[in-house]
Amino acid sequence: MKVHRIFTAMVLISASAGSAASAADLQSPFIIPEAKPAVSDGWTFAVSPYFWGAGISGDVGQFGLPAVHLESDFGDILKDLDFGFMAVGEARYDRFSIFGDVIYTKVSSGASTPLGIVAERVDATSETFAGLVGAGYAVFQDGRGNLDLVAGARVWHASTEISFSGGLLDGVSAKDSATWVDAMAGVRGRYFLTDNLYLSAWALVGAGQADLDWDLAAGIGYEFSDRISAVAGYRALGVDYSHDGFVFDVVQQGPILGLVVRF
């Protein structure tokens, strides 16, 4: 029985760590598609779907087992994606803005186990949700750019379910999850170098139920019209959360590419 427990623990560590890494890497960036910096009458709105080709490094632990260290690039993760939804939006009135970011990913992976005595196969499904809502005020704003002070809260939820088929553990499954909230604050801004070419960046840091939650990015964008622009850049995000054996202490970073639609 002791051998069976050791083997089961090894399988759980491997499967849960791999699925958690996949879910984390596929999160969208916290890109706020800012409205045109020039002062306008009434409200302006913007929405933006984004792609983030992030790799991940750090420590992940679930099911009360010791945390394992992860090093994975985006190419290793994309093949496990089942479903992903990512949307960011902003509403702006003069110097005031409100914004939101919703992220949901579901990934799964599976593998055969050695010998097939304890189990012939183990499958892991991981889901991650991150929702951010906040508000900002432009401390600087003119016809070419703006610099906003922002504050808000980010809600995280991560869960992993592992199921066994065949062998002594046939039909056995286990699930571990955690939900936490962090307060966030920082700056974001945009500056037009020409009538069409602009720079954008943001820096956020916070904490709460996580010991540390931070988000940095910079990019360059091109405005094709008053309504449509494209942005490319680089982003790094880190979070350090641990509670009751659930550990999610990772840094994700990689290139970003997106489309911004204003109306």
Side-chain angles (χ1 to χ4, degrees):
M1 180 60 68
K2 184 176 181 180
V3 174
H4 290 170
R5 289 178 178 174
I6 294 174
F7 175 78
T8 301
M10 293 175 64
V11 172
L12 287 170
I13 292 172
S14 176
S16 62
S19 59
S22 298
D25 281 6
L26 291 166
Q27 291 176 3
S28 81
F30 169 53
I31 289 187
I32 298 301
E34 298 164 5
K36 193 75 171 180
V39 176
S40 61
D41 295 329
W43 288 91
T44 57
F45 304 90
V47 294
S48 177
Y50 270 83
F51 174 81
W52 185 24
I56 188 171
S57 62
D59 299 317
V60 174
Q62 297 177 6
F63 301 96
L65 298 172
V68 295
H69 186 72
L70 304 174
E71 292 284 348
S72 182
D73 60 37
F74 182 72
D76 297 330
I77 294 159
L78 186 59
K79 63 180 181 294
D80 293 328
L81 176 64
D82 291 332
F83 178 77
F85 173 79
M86 307 158 194
V88 175
E90 181 198 47
R92 193 176 192 95
Y93 183 84
D94 194 12
R95 291 179 178 268
F96 298 93
S97 62
I98 55 176
F99 54 84
D101 179 15
V102 176
I103 304 160
Y104 173 79
T105 56
K106 180 180 180 181
V107 296
S108 61
S109 60
S112 299
T113 60
L115 303 178
I117 298 174
V118 177
E120 295 178 359
R121 181 179 175 84
V122 59
D123 293 284
T125 299
S126 183
E127 296 178 272
T128 302
F129 170 84
L132 175 71
V133 63
Y137 179 81
V139 294
F140 170 81
Q141 179 171 278
D142 65 11
R144 300 200 69 86
N146 61 285
L147 178 64
D148 293 1
L149 298 180
V150 299
R154 178 151 51 197
V155 179
W156 293 82
H157 175 78
S159 66
T160 298
E161 182 174 6
I162 295 177
S163 58
F164 298 90
S165 57
L168 299 175
L169 296 179
D170 186 35
V172 174
S173 64
K175 185 175 183 178
D176 197 9
S177 65
T179 301
W180 67 96
V181 181
D182 299 322
M184 306 293 293
V187 296
R188 64 185 178 98
R190 192 166 67 137
Y191 185 78
F192 275 80
L193 301 173
T194 69
D195 289 341
N196 302 100
L197 191 67
Y198 63 89
L199 301 175
S200 65
W202 65 87
L204 297 172
V205 66
Q209 290 177 286
D211 292 332
L212 182 63
D213 196 336
W214 57 270
D215 196 348
L216 301 172
I220 186 167
Y222 187 84
E223 193 171 76
F224 299 99
S225 68
D226 289 340
R227 293 181 177 274
I228 303 294
S229 63
V231 180
Y234 195 88
R235 175 179 181 253
L237 178 149
V239 63
D240 181 2
Y241 172 83
S242 61
H243 181 69
D244 286 343
F246 193 104
V247 178
F248 197 75
D249 181 8
V250 299
V251 174
Q252 303 163 73
Q253 57 184 321
I256 55 177
L257 181 65
L259 182 71
V260 180
V261 180
R262 301 181 184 87
F263 53 96

